[in-house]
């Protein structure tokens, strides 16, 4: 089992779905987790789950689009725990639609929350990680960023952009001991996919060689690998966790 005792992590979007699964898995591995979500009550859901899993946790309400708030959260975590070992840029939204019907708000919000926020939060943890000469930043992208998807051009742009951030920061921080990697999930059962029409679900399932949708725990297992010393020579890469959907 992965042992992250003594380490600390910030997880954005920790209240539900994949982020909640990641938060629980990190806590079970002994990592202290700062759970970030849009409101006090939703952030507290992530923190409570981490405590239930046997870990220590803090809750922070933050809109990930707010760079100054990212700095505040990083400062508060440093004040409380004195180190930041792991950042999981997981918060994300979709606003699907054909481009001709997509509003400016659909484009801006998806790019800001899925893409720009990863720059803000990575910048916020960079100094403490570099000072400690260790750290692992994990960007939760999507196979949509690799493959494209009709009706998701805003989301695909944001998720593809995360690969650029991942590779650039891996090169920028590599000599300082800080690793930066991405995970590209396929279809994972969460609120984000719950409302898709049945025909889309059936079509998606038919395209998954392993014959099942993914669970948050499948992504959390990838995070545990990238957060731990088992991946100490892995940086700038993308771990695809999709049951073969992108093949
Ligand atoms: P989800 O169940 O809809 O949860 C989204 C999370 O993001 C919630 O914790 C939400 O917090 C948080 N969030 C949204 N906007 C935010 C903002 N402006 N500031 C702070 N937090 C915000 O989504 P999910 O399916 O777990 O997805 C998690 C990540 O995986 C996303 O980046 C998504 O793009 C990616 N992904 C998902 C799938 C999939 O099939 N589900 C596939 C590939 C990639 P609140 O609870 O406070 O709203």
């Amino acid at each position: 089992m992965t042992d992250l005792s003594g380490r600390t992590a910030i997880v954005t979007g920790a209240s539900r779905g994949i982020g909640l699964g990641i938060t629980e898995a990190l806590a079970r591995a002994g990592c202290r987790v700062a759970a970030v979500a849009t409101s006090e009550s939703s952030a507290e859901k992530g923190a409570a789950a981490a405590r239930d899993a046997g870990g220590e946790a803090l809750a922070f309400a933050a809109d990930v689009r707010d760079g100054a708030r990212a700095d505040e959260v990083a400062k508060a975590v440093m004040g409380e725990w004195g180190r930041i070992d792991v950042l999981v840029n997981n918060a994300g939204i979709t606003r699907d639609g054909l481009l001709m019907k997509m509003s400016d708000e659909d484009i801006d919000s998806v790019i800001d929350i899925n893409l720009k926020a990863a720059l803000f939060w990575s910048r916020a943890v960079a100094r403490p990680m570099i000072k400690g000469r260790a750290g692992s930043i994990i960007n939760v992208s999507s196979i949509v960023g690799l493959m494209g998807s009709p009706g998701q051009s805003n989301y695909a742009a944001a998720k593809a952009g995360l690969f650029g951030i991942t590779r650039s920061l891996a090169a920028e921080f590599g000599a300082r001991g800080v690793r930066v990697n991405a995970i590209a999930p396929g279809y994972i059962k969460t609120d984000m996919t719950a409302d898709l029409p049945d025909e889309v679900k059936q079509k998606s399932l038919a395209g998954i060689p392993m014959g099942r949708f993914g669970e948050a725990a499948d992504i959390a297992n990838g995070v545990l690998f990238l957060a731990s010393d088992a991946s100490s020579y892995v940086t700038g890469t993308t771990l695809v966790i999709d049951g073969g959907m992108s093949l």
Side-chain angles (χ1 to χ4, degrees), residues 57-125:
L58 298 168
F60 293 97
D63 186 328
V64 289
R65 289 172 281 198
D66 182 348
R69 182 69 182 133
D71 293 341
E72 278 173 16
V73 170
K75 207 172 155 197
V77 172
M78 284 301 287
E80 200 70 33
W81 292 333
R83 56 192 291 163
I84 302 171
D85 300 282
V86 178
L87 166 68
V88 187
N89 284 312
N90 165 79
I93 61 160
T94 49
R95 293 285 181 271
D96 297 349
L98 297 174
L99 182 63
M100 282 188 293
K101 292 186 176 167
M102 213 176 260
S103 68
D104 289 5
E105 159 65 13
D106 292 336
I107 294 172
D108 287 340
S109 60
V110 167
I111 302 276
D112 288 352
I113 293 172
N114 293 276
L115 179 63
K116 260 174 79 178
L119 288 171
F120 292 151
W121 289 76
S122 300
R123 186 179 61 188
V125 302

Side-chain angles (χ1 to χ4, degrees), residues 121-174:
W121 289 76
S122 300
R123 186 179 61 188
V125 302
R127 204 177 297 279
M129 282 186 175
I130 286 170
K131 222 170 154 197
R133 299 199 69 77
S136 172
I137 297 174
I138 300 159
N139 295 317
V140 180
S141 178
S142 166
I143 58 166
V144 168
L146 295 168
M147 303 168 68
S149 168
Q152 292 196 295
S153 55
N154 51 353
Y155 185 74
K159 293 306 193 184
L162 282 176
F163 299 131
I165 292 177
T166 299
R167 286 193 292 266
S168 301
L169 294 185
E172 207 169 305
F173 298 158

Side-chain angles (χ1 to χ4, degrees), residues 13 15-16 18 38 42 62-64 90 141 155 159 186 188 190 192:
S15 55
R16 296 185 275 128
I18 291 172
T38 56
S42 60
D63 186 328
V64 289
N90 165 79
S141 178
Y155 185 74
K159 293 306 193 184
I188 311 299
T190 68
M192 187 175 272

